[in-house]
């Protein structure tokens, strides 16, 4: 039976309903709250399971329009670029640079483990990237973006679906291992839990970056700031479309291929820092935050509506094996490398918990991990300053270039 095509208008309507159902699920189900599962992921997976049941019982399937999905993905990555102010590097100091280096080395290890295990299990090595930093360090947004690239440029069928499943797995595991790793390190130091509570999570949040950690925070936006912000997004999208045009791509070396979302992100960074640095423009960060978070939610909602669970059954066991090994590697690396290179003190233990969070899941998972530790053992201002900046901004650039190198190398072998 041919799939039933859903046009952009109804795709958007259904995606917003998925988000509302997801919000209701997260509000009511404690498991989803404890593991910080995003609302679009909760609602989207429920929708994917309903579609799977329909397919299994009646043979029906649906093809939701992906034009809007791609547009929301580009807006989301543009928002990361437009929020990346290089002046924040000064606030993080040398600790931020060292942590970024530690995390960057782990991305190389994560991809090497994924590619090696995929090859050993008889899968396409590129699938190893999907169960590597594409989904684990990158999260759902990067999974959807790279899934599209792998499907269209490298002909890896179901890469997006596999990526969404792996990213969801990573979110749960990242939330599970961060706290225990940090507590083991803290116990080794002989520290005891503080008594009477400290409110450390509140204190820590003063140092956390608001862009992705507090998506529900009320932000005052005027019509003018909204229009001007949309103009910035339009510039990023137009530049990215220009850079992937066949005539422009022909000007670059054959092996030099950057996905469109990377161009959108890079131009966002340039636009942000040129406007604020050279022209002293006051950027509307609150509007950028709102558009970015809303676009990410809608992108995930549409991507998960297109999740065809029946296509994943053949890959289920190999994928679980690779992800289980990745989880062990993450815990060991955070325990020995992250902790040691970040100073071997209490702040380093909290940073190790944060690394587990976004090394397998996402930045909000990292913050949740750190809060679970600081609520018991006291505040860590250093960790709450460094992790959101590295996890939400700078690591995306490193991950994008490492992945591009891996994909181009594997794609030509």
């Amino acid at each position: 039976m041919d799939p039933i095509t859903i046009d952009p208008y109804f795709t958007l309507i259904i995606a917003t309903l998925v988000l509302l159902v997801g919000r209701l699920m997260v509000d009511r189900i404690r498991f989803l709250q404890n593991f910080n599962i995003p609302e679009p992921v909760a609602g989207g997976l429920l929708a994917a399971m309903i579609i799977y049941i329909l397919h299994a019982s009646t043979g029906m399937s649906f093809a939701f329009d992906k034009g809007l999905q791609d547009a929301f993905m580009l807006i989301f990555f543009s928002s990361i670029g437009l929020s990346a102010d290089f002046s924040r590097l000064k606030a993080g100091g040398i600790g931020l640079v060292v942590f970024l280096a530690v995390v960057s080395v782990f991305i190389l290890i994560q991809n090497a483990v994924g590619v090696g295990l995929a090859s050993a299990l008889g899968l396409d090595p590129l699938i190893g990237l999907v169960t590597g930093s594409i989904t684990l360090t990158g999260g759902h947004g990067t999974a959807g973006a790279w899934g599209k690239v792998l499907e269209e440029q490298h002909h890896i069928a179901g890469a997006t679906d596999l990526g969404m499943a792996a990213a969801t797995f990573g979110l749960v595991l990242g939330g599970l291992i961060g706290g225990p790793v940090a507590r083991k390190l803290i116990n080794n130091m002989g520290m005891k839990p503080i008594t009477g509570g400290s409110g450390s999570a509140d204190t820590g949040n003063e140092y956390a970056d608001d862009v992705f950690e507090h998506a529900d925070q009320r932000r005052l936006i005027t019509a003018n700031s909204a229009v001007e912000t949309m103009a910035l997004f339009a510039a990023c999208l137009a530049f990215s479309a220009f850079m992937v045009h066949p005539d422009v791509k022909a000007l670059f070396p054959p092996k030099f291929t950057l996905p469109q979302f990377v161009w959108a992100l890079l131009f966002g960074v340039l636009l942000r820092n040129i406007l604020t640095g050279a022209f002293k423009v006051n950027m509307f960060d609150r509007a950028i935050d709102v558009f970015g978070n809303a676009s990410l939610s809608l992108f995930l909602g549409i991507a998960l509506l297109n999740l065809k669970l029946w296509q994943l059954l053949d890959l289920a066991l190999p994928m679980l094996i690779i992800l289980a090994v990745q989880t062990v590697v993450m815990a060991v690396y955070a325990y020995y490398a992250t902790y040691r290179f970040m100073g071997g003190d209490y702040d380093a233990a909290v940073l190790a918990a944060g690394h587990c969070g976004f090394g397998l899941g996402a930045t909000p998972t990292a913050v949740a991990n750190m809060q679970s530790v600081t609520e018991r053992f006291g505040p860590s201002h250093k960790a709450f300053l460094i992790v959101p900046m590295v996890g939400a901004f700078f690591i995306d650039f490193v991950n994008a270039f490492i992945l591009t190198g891996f994909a181009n190398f594997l794609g030509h072998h």
Side-chain angles (χ1 to χ4, degrees), residues 255 286 398 405:
K255 290 188 177 182
R286 289 173 296 183
V398 177

Side-chain angles (χ1 to χ4, degrees), residues 290-303:
V290 169
F291 280 113
N293 281 302
S295 296
L296 175 60
S297 294
L298 287 165
F299 160 63
L300 291 177
I302 298 172

